[in-house]
Amino acid sequence: YPLVSIHPQAKLAAEYGVCVAKLGGNHALFLFANEEFNGQQGLATADGAQLTLKSAVSKVGLDPAKVETCAADPATAAEVDKSVNLARDLNINQTPMLLINGRQVPVAGMAYETLKNIIEYQEKLDGIQQ
């Protein structure tokens, strides 16, 4: 959910993320997101964002030129837009957000133990044995 009103380079970062996942899988995406978060100060400007995102891509072992080409593809922007529209349709207005059995659970600042208790409670309601 790229919040471009707060972070002008967020959509570009989301497009890079889509491409990292396509080219490197979910593990690469999580590593990329971590690198991106660690270098978030570099995302303040368009030029800084290009450098920061390419650096993050390199650090996860992918080719920055391939990811940049993918991110520039209008189909990638459409994929990000589709995801944003789905979030709006589901009335998700913050990140991070989890859905547990169809219920929204905003997790920003939530303690791990609290989240674990919510999931275990839902498991019991659903009759899931551990």
Side-chain angles (χ1 to χ4, degrees), residues 3 7 11 15-16 18 23 30 37 45 50 58-59 62-63 67 70 78 80 84 86-87 90 94 97 110 119 130:
L3 303 172
H7 309 287
K11 185 162 186 198
E15 292 163 352
Y16 265 69
V18 166
L23 298 171
F30 286 111
F37 182 79
T45 66
Q50 287 291 334
S58 293
K59 287 179 180 177
L62 296 176
D63 181 347
V67 174
C70 173
V80 171
V84 169
L86 175 61
L90 295 172
Q94 62 181 306
M97 174 72 73
M110 181 182 291
I119 293 170
Q130 291 199 11

Side-chain angles (χ1 to χ4, degrees), residues 78-100:
E79 192 169 336
V80 171
D81 292 340
K82 183 179 173 183
S83 179
V84 169
N85 289 334
L86 175 61
R88 285 185 184 139
D89 290 347
L90 295 172
N91 198 31
I92 295 173
N93 55 16
Q94 62 181 306
T95 58
M97 174 72 73
L98 290 179
L99 291 157
I100 299 175

